[in-house]
Amino acid sequence: MSSYKLKVLLTGAAAVGKTSLVQRFIKNKFQANYKLTVGVDILTKEIEYKPGEIATLSIWDIGGQQRFEFIRSTFYQGAAGTLLVFDLTREQTYQETRKWLTEIRQFAGENIPFILIGNKADLLEDVGRVINQEEAKKFAENENSIYIETSAKTGIHVDEAFTELTRKIINSRT
Ligand code: GDP
Ligand code: MG
């Protein structure tokens, strides 16, 4: 029996890999061709965030429609935490995380726990580093968060991202 039921959000710019991270985490699969998320997908998964301790996550993955206020308020309402995702190969998506953070805090509460995620780590070998790892880490730490680099394609650090978020949420409550 799990005692915690937590609503967690995937946030961040378009095409950074939010849907792919959820698919990897829940179904352990990856799809290379891009399918725009329409509306909101809500998927549920139990997570063992520490030995013998289970939480149930309901994971909310939204498309571009968060522009519309009525969808946006439903999306953020009651959220326990979020993975704030950018694309390691596109600097712009990193810059936009600040705007996202402002919106998340405005709609979900000032102290909402989040993990900063640099996704598509598998591409770094080809593309090279465009975002300074230390700077991303510092940014996250200044905002009371941590920074994790993931790849939805290889699966690296994807489970850790969800686990760390769950731990952070639960630690903030006890
Ligand atoms: P969303 O708009 O944030 O939900 O992004 P998607 O999950 O739909 O992904 C956008 C595109 O990036 C798709 O073509 C994915 O296949 C691709 N993608 C997502 N994550 C990764 C990753 O970790 N590595 C690579 N190489 N491609 C990725
Ligand atoms: Mg999507």
Side-chain angles (χ1 to χ4, degrees), residues 6-10 22 25-26 40-45 57-61 162:
L6 304 172
K7 174 178 176 177
V8 302
L9 313 178
L10 273 291
V22 181
F25 178 58
I26 295 198
V40 186
D41 272 337
I42 305 168
L43 292 157
T44 302
K45 188 174 160 107
L57 304 185
S58 77
I59 303 168
W60 290 53
D61 174 30
F162 285 94

Side-chain angles (χ1 to χ4, degrees), residues 10-165:
L10 273 291
T11 50
V16 295
K18 299 181 295 296
T19 301
S20 301
L21 286 166
V22 181
Q23 292 298 313
R24 170 60 72 192
F25 178 58
I26 295 198
K27 299 183 180 146
N28 202 22
K29 67 172 196 191
F30 177 75
Q31 209 176 348
N33 52 334
Y34 182 57
K35 274 205 204 120
L36 197 69
T37 309
V38 176
V40 186
D41 272 337
I42 305 168
L43 292 157
T44 302
K45 188 174 160 107
E46 291 195 335
I47 185 168
E48 188 172 8
Y49 60 93
K50 66 181 186 191
E53 302 283 337
I54 310 266
T56 304
L57 304 185
S58 77
I59 303 168
W60 290 53
D61 174 30
I62 200 172
Q65 297 85 350
Q66 62 265 49
R67 292 186 294 279
F68 302 112
E69 194 120 355
F70 69 99
I71 293 181
R72 189 168 58 184
S73 54
T74 306
F75 180 63
Y76 285 115
Q77 192 168 48
T82 179
L83 295 181
L84 175 48
V85 186
F86 68 91
D87 179 339
L88 282 164
T89 70
R90 288 185 294 143
E91 164 101 42
Q92 177 68 19
T93 66
Y94 174 68
Q95 302 303 339
E96 284 173 17
T97 56
R98 284 174 195 279
K99 273 196 309 201
W100 273 99
L101 192 54
T102 305
E103 175 171 311
I104 291 160
R105 285 174 168 162
Q106 181 187 345
F107 286 92
E110 272 307 306
N111 297 318
I112 181 170
F114 79 98
I115 306 283
L116 182 65
I117 301 292
N119 186 45
K120 309 195 186 180
D122 60 284
L123 296 177
L124 286 179
E125 220 174 295
D126 293 334
V127 179
R129 279 216 169 259
V130 295
I131 287 115
N132 185 296
Q133 195 172 19
E134 281 309 307
E135 195 203 299
K137 195 169 165 233
K138 250 189 227 150
F139 168 53
E141 283 168 2
N142 283 338
E143 301 295 343
N144 189 28
S145 176
I146 57 171
Y147 174 56
I148 299 177
E149 293 185 344
T150 59
S151 167
K153 187 172 183 182
T154 69
I156 193 155
H157 295 157
V158 174
D159 283 1
E160 284 86 338
F162 285 94
T163 306
E164 288 299 330
L165 177 62

